[in-house]
Amino acid sequence: MAQVQARFGIRRTALGALSEAASVFDAALLHEVLTALGAQLRPSLSGAEQAALAALTAVDGSLLPALPRMVWAVWQDDQHRAAKMHVAFAVLRHGPVDVTVTAGNASERAELRRLVQPGGFYVFDRGSTDYDLFQELHDFPCSFIGRVKANTASEVQEERPITAAAQAAGVQRDAVLRRLGTAHHFRLLPQPFRVVCVATGKTDGNGTPEVMVLGTNRLDLDADLVALAYRYRWAVELFFRWVKWVLGCRHLLSQAANGVRIQVYVALIARLLISLWVGHAPTKRTYEMFCFSLSGWASETELIAHIDRLHLKAPPPCKN
């Protein structure tokens, strides 16, 4: 597009050059840009939640369907291939702070170990339940909240009273444990862990109310905030949908592993740049305005006016 070439000072790029890019450029350089931008995100809440959960980061993975001839993208069998992006998503900052891209059958627990940072606060679902991992995270050291199975074996050290705020959040039990794991785990923990049981408001196939059992090493956090932190984990699922359906990553542009990483990193960098300009997570409409501007349908003045209106609607930024 002539307008894009003029605006960015570039020449026409041949299709062959775009095809070769997947093997010529190093995706790791884009990863450094992504993490640097993610570090600039700021929380959007204030008050007690901001103080307690500002560092909360949801870690999860999502499949990106691949072609059967993409041999490296091992998943189910020769006819079912997939890549998987594993994201550390800063919940209250509404953006990714790190990401890895692997074959579809890669271990989410192994990638979680790569994504965590000392001093961080992480939340993850049942797919990452690993009692040895819990101890590793505590020793790293970092904080965590993870859903564990309802039949998890444990030995209680202390039953804590349920406050009115915790009851309102659906908390049914708050206990400090000396042992946590399967029935084969007889060794006492080097330090106490904690379980918080929370009603989901749903029922299983037999009509029994569903209860989430959350394991954590945060003995200091109010039980209602433990429940809230896990509910915030859903933000990463919404983010995956946005990346796939708005940014278009459900369709891979390259068959090479390096090319898939480039596509994912570039998409997330675009998301981060828009977030930093707008001041919060972008909507589909804002993303469309950027596309319209680059395509020549919307002027730069109209784009800036759209961003200015968002700033007027946004709440004042939180103080660090």
Side-chain angles (χ1 to χ4, degrees):
M1 298 179 183
Q3 183 171 326
V4 175
Q5 294 177 41
R7 180 176 299 183
F8 296 104
I10 59 176
R11 295 178 296 175
R12 180 180 181 277
T13 304
L15 181 60
L18 290 174
S19 300
E20 292 175 357
S23 58
V24 173
F25 298 111
D26 184 0
L29 299 177
L30 290 172
H31 182 263
E32 293 178 15
V33 175
L34 188 152
T35 54
L37 291 173
Q40 298 179 35
L41 295 171
R42 293 292 177 263
S44 60
L45 290 180
S46 59
E49 289 183 11
Q50 157 65 15
L53 307 179
L56 185 65
T57 302
V59 181
D60 205 351
S62 185
L63 291 169
L64 303 172
L67 295 174
R69 59 175 174 268
M70 295 168 66
V71 179
W72 65 272
V74 179
W75 183 31
Q76 294 179 333
D77 52 47
D78 290 343
Q79 297 303 311
H80 296 85
R81 303 286 184 175
K84 182 182 283 188
M85 57 178 174
H86 309 263
V87 174
F89 185 83
V91 173
L92 298 190
R93 292 183 282 161
H94 305 292
V97 292
D98 203 354
V99 61
T100 61
V101 179
T102 66
N105 66 350
S107 167
E108 290 195 11
R109 299 172 190 173
E111 295 308 309
L112 189 150
R113 288 178 168 92
R114 293 189 179 94
L115 290 169
V116 297
Q117 298 293 326
F121 183 16
Y122 298 94
V123 59
F124 43 85
D125 65 10
R126 249 183 322 211
S128 298
T129 299
D130 181 329
Y131 304 109
D132 292 332
L133 172 62
F134 287 1
Q135 190 62 51
E136 288 179 35
L137 293 176
H138 181 84
D139 296 338
F140 194 45
C142 61
S143 304
F144 67 86
I145 297 173
R147 188 172 179 180
V148 298
K149 295 180 179 178
N151 61 353
T152 296
S154 61
E155 183 177 333
V156 177
Q157 175 177 305
E158 174 193 358
E159 290 282 356
R160 291 184 167 183
I162 308 300
T163 65
Q167 290 179 6
V171 175
Q172 298 183 344
R173 187 189 187 198
D174 184 3
V176 178
L177 307 178
R178 296 198 303 165
R179 184 168 66 88
L180 175 68
T182 67
H184 303 290
H185 286 80
F186 297 104
R187 179 176 58 87
L188 294 180
L189 294 165
Q191 74 296 306
F193 280 162
R194 177 186 182 193
V195 291
V196 176
C197 301
V198 185
T200 65
K202 302 177 182 178
T203 58
D204 60 19
N206 299 321
T208 305
E210 185 182 71
V211 176
M212 296 188 300
V213 182
L214 306 178
T216 180
N217 62 344
R218 290 292 302 268
L219 305 186
D220 62 310
L221 199 61
D222 292 342
D224 56 303
L225 290 178
V226 172
L228 178 63
Y230 189 80
R231 289 191 173 100
Y232 273 145
R233 193 203 67 81
W234 188 249
V236 73
E237 303 290 354
L238 299 177
F239 173 73
F240 285 141
R241 180 175 178 82
W242 207 90
V243 170
K244 291 179 180 180
W245 292 92
V246 178
L247 294 181
C249 284
R250 69 186 186 279
H251 172 68
L252 300 180
L253 302 178
S254 173
Q255 297 180 28
N258 187 66
V260 173
R261 291 188 177 96
I262 288 175
Q263 178 181 349
V264 170
Y265 294 162
V266 167
L268 299 192
I269 287 170
R271 168 61 153 70
L272 284 165
L273 287 172
I274 298 173
S275 295
L276 290 170
W277 189 4
V278 173
H280 54 80
T283 64
K284 182 179 179 180
R285 175 58 179 155
T286 298
Y287 173 75
E288 288 174 344
M289 279 299 295
F290 278 93
C291 293
F292 292 158
S293 177
L294 290 174
S295 300
W297 294 359
S299 68
E300 185 173 321
T301 300
E302 290 171 321
L303 174 61
I304 294 174
H306 173 81
I307 302 301
D308 288 343
R309 285 195 296 272
L310 295 178
H311 287 158
L312 291 173
K313 294 178 182 178
C318 299
K319 296 181 180 179
N320 293 330

